[in-house]
Amino acid sequence: SQTIHQWPATLVQPVGSPLSLECTVEGTSNPNLYWYRQAAGRGLQLLFYSVGIGQISSEVPQNLSASRPQDRQFILSSKKLLLSDSGFYLCAWRGTGQKNSPLHFGNGTRLTVT
Amino acid sequence: AQSVTQLDSHVSVSEGTPVLLRCNYSSSYSPSLFWYVQHPNKGLQLLLKYTSAATLVKGINGFEAEFKKSETSFHLTKPSAHMSDAAEYFCVVISGNTGKLIFGQGTTLQVKP
């Protein structure tokens, strides 16, 4: 069966420090991968999605970037964190070519920028 | 364009009583609709999905939802609430063109003993 892993679960970082959040999927090949952010008391905002290795689409201009160095690995990064980057970050996947299928989410990373 | 509206930001019920979480959608296509549940500091878990098959959809943990095209609704129900049902619930529609998920703003379900 397919599983998705995100780490770390929680992270506290000072303003101006770098960020790297990692997400991996097991049990499937060539998944579509997604990064969402959920700010406190608000809905989910799509940040990035990827349909293949090295293919990244950005939904909103921001201080973050994403990379997909391997088929089932998706990384969210920042060179210098801002206070506004605090939030709950969720990685998700969906089978390739399954546009009408739901996403499967990881357990998220709670990021606090101080 | 597709959109989804969750009519209640907060619902409070007593344990053992029915749950109703309301969702209306707007879609120019035959939509794909989902309900997700999110417990505190956890990811989203798929409760159920509608993809143009049976209009009454049964999900996990005793939840079900009925797709009503005439009312453009996809309300989530459960006959008897458990304390463990306390969580945030999201109604989601898929954009037919892009396959992107469009989330409602969420409904917080409180279950009182």
Side-chain angles (χ1 to χ4, degrees):
Chain A
S1 64
Q2 301 90 354
T3 56
I4 180 168
H5 303 280
Q6 266 188 262
W7 66 93
T10 60
L11 190 60
V12 180
Q13 293 283 101
V15 168
S17 63
L19 173 74
S20 180
L21 303 181
E22 191 162 342
C23 171
T24 59
V25 179
E26 297 176 358
T28 187
S29 296
N30 196 29
N32 290 347
L33 296 172
Y34 303 81
W35 278 112
Y36 282 85
R37 177 169 59 201
Q38 187 176 30
R42 301 179 67 178
L44 280 80
Q45 179 186 37
L46 178 61
L47 301 177
F48 302 94
Y49 68 94
S50 171
V51 299
I53 296 174
Q55 301 178 61
I56 308 296
S57 296
S58 174
E59 287 294 297
V60 292
Q62 59 203 315
N63 186 41
L64 303 169
S65 62
S67 62
R68 185 171 177 174
Q70 300 180 46
D71 180 44
R72 289 169 290 177
Q73 183 185 29
F74 204 24
I75 297 171
L76 184 69
S77 304
S78 173
K79 292 182 179 178
K80 289 186 177 182
L81 283 168
L82 306 172
L83 285 174
S84 57
D85 292 324
S86 294
F88 192 52
Y89 289 83
L90 290 157
C91 182
W93 74 273
R94 175 162 64 189
T96 187
Q98 298 179 10
K99 260 185 13 176
N100 291 324
S101 297
L103 298 187
H104 305 278
F105 287 85
N107 279 329
T109 295
R110 172 73 61 191
L111 172 66
T112 303
V113 182
T114 60
Chain B
Q2 286 82 7
S3 66
V4 62
T5 302
Q6 292 184 241
L7 300 171
D8 307 291
S9 60
H10 189 98
V11 170
S12 181
V13 302
S14 297
E15 189 176 21
T17 64
V19 175
L20 170 63
L21 306 183
R22 299 183 295 165
C23 173
N24 284 358
Y25 70 91
S26 172
S27 175
S28 52
Y29 304 88
S30 180
S32 292
L33 294 156
F34 315 116
W35 275 99
Y36 283 89
V37 61
Q38 184 181 29
H39 288 90
N41 290 311
K42 295 292 185 183
L44 277 71
Q45 180 184 19
L46 182 67
L47 275 179
L48 48 81
K49 60 182 178 181
Y50 168 77
T51 54
S52 73
T55 56
L56 182 61
V57 181
K58 294 188 183 299
I60 62 171
N61 300 337
F63 284 94
E64 62 182 36
E66 186 171 8
F67 173 73
K68 292 187 176 180
K69 186 175 181 178
S70 61
E71 299 176 11
T72 62
S73 68
F74 190 57
H75 301 335
L76 182 70
T77 60
K78 182 173 180 177
S80 176
H82 294 163
M83 295 298 293
S84 60
D85 294 328
E88 188 83 9
Y89 291 80
F90 292 95
C91 183
V92 180
V93 65
I94 284 191
S95 169
N97 281 340
T98 65
K100 292 180 183 177
L101 269 63
I102 300 167
F103 285 83
Q105 284 302 302
T107 298
T108 301
L109 176 64
Q110 179 187 24
V111 182
K112 297 177 289 186

